[in-house]
Amino acid sequence: MGVLDSIMQDNGMEVIKVFAPIHNHLDIKNNALKKITFLFSSNEKLKVIQEIQANDYDILVSNGCPFVLPVSEIKKSGQLFINIHPSYLPFLKGQHPVNGIIYNQMRFFGATVHHMNDEADSGNIIYRKKVRFTSDIDLALLYRLCFELEVHCFNKAIKILKKHHWNFPGFAQEATGCTFNRKASMMMPDIRNNSIRDVLIAINAFGIDGQGCIIDVGGNKLKVVEAEEVKNPFVIKKYVQAMPGDVLLKYENKLLVKCPDGILKLTKFSGSEQK
């Protein structure tokens, strides 16, 4: 919504049509905006393409589109197609870059505005910004920061494009980089076989209520959102004979479980555990 708000506040830009996935977080309260909003589901790619082609416009701005558009087929002469991506490209192309920042243990995050082509997140860069990542930034905060950076980068990119009379080619992305799309297997760490470090990376990478990791604890599936390693020597010695996967202690709304290399405290989870 931040990028759309930025466009709405620019008196030199007129919104012709807004495309929004059904059940998206986009909350359109402006009645005039509601009239030009086209809602679609993730399996209606062809319908979206046809609707795009049916409209007359100068600039197409993509932000969070769930599929890759066939730009070479639908872009007309003189039109500008730009995309805002919540990562510092060419790193973490794909649908879920914010998860990938934590899962891949990146040392930075950012946002990029680039020209669109037929490949995902691969066009020439108009503007991008990189910020140092630190371990105190959780996933929920990271989403907010990345989305704020998207707005910042979009505003900078628009200024650059205006300065060059909307004819700025940008610069090619470096050959290095990576892609990240989350998979169910990434969100199901095994406390019987995985190290505490690997389990915590997964939990932190998907640690919001709408995602979470599914972990088998005592034969029950729990959706875990937050956890931490237990480092107290007394506690570690007390349960040194326990087997990986064992539930060691249940107290308040927390669980101590054994991993191959130590003890994990589950501090926020849902589901029922029978000890």
Side-chain angles (χ1 to χ4, degrees), residues 23-36:
H23 306 309
N24 188 277
H25 65 279
L26 188 64
D27 180 19
I28 300 174
K29 297 178 180 179
N30 185 300
N31 289 328
L33 205 53
K34 287 180 181 179
K35 294 178 182 179
I36 60 171

Side-chain angles (χ1 to χ4, degrees), residues 8-195:
M8 296 293 291
Q9 291 167 11
D10 188 330
N11 294 325
M13 301 177 73
E14 178 188 358
V15 178
I16 303 299
K17 179 77 75 173
V18 175
F19 295 83
I22 298 171
H23 306 309
N24 188 277
H25 65 279
L26 188 64
D27 180 19
I28 300 174
K29 297 178 180 179
N30 185 300
N31 289 328
L33 205 53
K34 287 180 181 179
K35 294 178 182 179
I36 60 171
T37 299
F38 178 85
L39 298 176
F40 63 91
S41 59
S42 58
N43 63 350
E44 293 183 307
K45 179 177 179 178
L46 180 58
K47 191 175 179 180
V48 170
I49 292 172
Q50 292 172 339
E51 187 68 20
I52 289 174
Q53 292 176 311
N55 284 273
D56 186 23
Y57 56 91
D58 297 314
I59 305 172
L60 183 145
V61 178
S62 172
N63 187 203
C65 183
F67 38 70
V68 179
L69 295 172
V71 175
S72 62
E73 297 178 20
I74 62 177
K75 184 180 177 182
K76 299 174 184 176
S77 177
Q79 288 182 330
L80 184 64
F81 279 43
I82 61 175
N83 181 56
I84 306 102
H85 187 72
S87 81
Y88 186 82
L89 292 175
F91 298 95
L92 300 171
K93 301 176 184 180
Q95 291 185 306
H96 310 111
V98 182
N99 295 119
I101 293 164
I102 298 176
Y103 195 86
N104 286 358
Q105 298 289 276
M106 306 292 287
R107 296 183 178 180
F108 58 86
F109 61 100
T112 305
V113 178
H114 64 91
H115 291 283
M116 295 171 65
N117 56 26
D118 289 340
E119 298 180 13
D121 311 316
S122 299
N124 281 10
I125 292 171
I126 301 170
Y127 185 84
R128 63 183 176 179
K129 184 174 178 62
K130 179 193 286 188
V131 178
R132 186 167 70 94
F133 179 80
T134 53
S135 59
D136 56 316
I137 299 178
D138 58 45
L139 182 62
L141 177 57
L142 185 57
Y143 269 115
R144 291 291 298 272
L145 295 175
C146 286
F147 293 157
E148 288 177 6
L149 279 173
E150 283 189 319
V151 177
H152 168 79
C153 289
F154 176 74
N155 290 333
K156 289 285 189 178
I158 292 298
K159 288 182 180 179
I160 292 171
L161 289 168
K162 286 182 176 180
K163 181 179 178 181
H164 291 83
H165 306 288
W166 305 99
N167 192 29
F168 179 71
F171 56 93
Q173 297 188 30
E174 298 90 338
T176 57
C178 59
T179 298
F180 189 88
N181 296 307
R182 61 176 178 253
K183 302 176 182 176
S185 59
M186 298 175 178
M187 305 170 74
M188 299 177 66
D190 182 0
I191 61 173
R192 292 174 178 80
N193 296 295
N194 296 155
S195 67

